[in-house]
Amino acid sequence: ISNENNLEINSTWKSTKGIDGALKIKGTVDEEMDLSFNMITEPITEDQTIGWFGIPLETPGVEIDGKIMGDFVKPEILLNTHSTNLRVYGELVKECDLSISQENGRNRVTARLTGLGELETGLITILGSFDLESLDLTTAINELPISYFNPFLAKNTATLDGYLHGVFSIDGS
């Protein structure tokens, strides 16, 4: 597992919460660390996600990779995820990529959801930063089916159809 300051860990697990998977960590640990990791989860089901946070979401699995660098007091952390054929409320998101980095208490996020809608041409991109006191995000939407919002409407409300396009900012403190 370890040789001097070099570290390598390979692990697989079965979870009582249903997130089985595999993990590999490799790198160096000294006064500063430089560790890379990658893992993949087993498929995630709607029943699991409804139980965890009340949203029906399923995916064949999630690929996760990243790095942890710097000292132990203020590490720099980079986390990337990738999943395909994600379903949220029954609607398909062909590909979902999410990156979060953390350095000096500031978090940067980039997300890209592609292949939305019947024609699989919809796209949502999110870029920005956040910390415990503020939020600064820019979101671009292209051909997002408005029908995605139908599950959130009351039963006696009209059914939405069409597409949403635009760029908007989300700022706050």
Side-chain angles (χ1 to χ4, degrees):
I1 292 179
S2 181
N3 180 10
E4 298 278 327
N5 295 334
N6 293 321
L7 175 70
E8 185 170 331
I9 299 171
N10 293 298
S11 175
T12 59
W13 67 88
K14 295 281 185 192
S15 167
T16 59
K17 298 286 187 184
I19 299 280
D20 302 335
L23 169 70
K24 180 175 184 176
I25 300 173
K26 187 174 185 176
T28 59
V29 179
D30 200 353
E31 290 180 18
E32 291 197 353
M33 62 187 140
D34 184 7
L35 298 173
S36 297
F37 62 90
N38 57 54
M39 70 182 220
I40 188 163
T41 70
E42 294 291 323
I44 299 171
T45 67
E46 283 187 352
D47 290 340
Q48 290 170 315
T49 62
I50 288 170
W52 298 334
F53 44 82
I55 297 174
L57 181 147
E58 67 178 306
T59 183
V62 179
E63 301 168 23
I64 303 168
D65 68 74
K67 288 186 73 73
I68 303 172
M69 304 162 287
D71 62 39
F72 289 98
V73 176
K74 290 187 177 180
E76 297 173 37
I77 302 170
L78 174 62
L79 176 70
N80 303 300
T81 69
H82 176 79
S83 56
T84 58
N85 299 319
L86 178 76
R87 289 202 173 270
V88 182
Y89 287 100
E91 299 290 341
L92 177 67
V93 178
K94 197 74 172 157
E95 290 204 42
C96 179
D97 294 292
L98 172 67
S99 295
I100 299 174
S101 63
Q102 194 281 335
E103 183 177 2
N104 296 323
R106 194 74 176 154
N107 305 293
R108 301 213 33 89
V109 62
T110 303
R112 183 175 172 95
L113 294 90
T114 58
L116 307 167
E118 288 180 20
L119 301 176
E120 298 180 4
T121 57
L123 169 67
I124 299 175
T125 304
I126 301 169
L127 304 167
S129 60
F130 64 95
D131 58 27
L132 294 176
E133 298 171 0
S134 65
L135 177 67
D136 181 11
L137 299 175
T138 300
T139 301
I141 296 175
N142 186 25
E143 294 189 30
L144 176 68
I146 297 174
S147 62
Y148 277 18
F149 301 105
N150 286 328
F152 303 104
L153 300 176
K155 298 292 182 212
N156 60 352
T157 305
T159 302
L160 298 176
D161 198 14
Y163 295 93
L164 184 63
H165 304 271
V167 176
F168 58 92
S169 296
I170 303 170
D171 300 308
S173 57

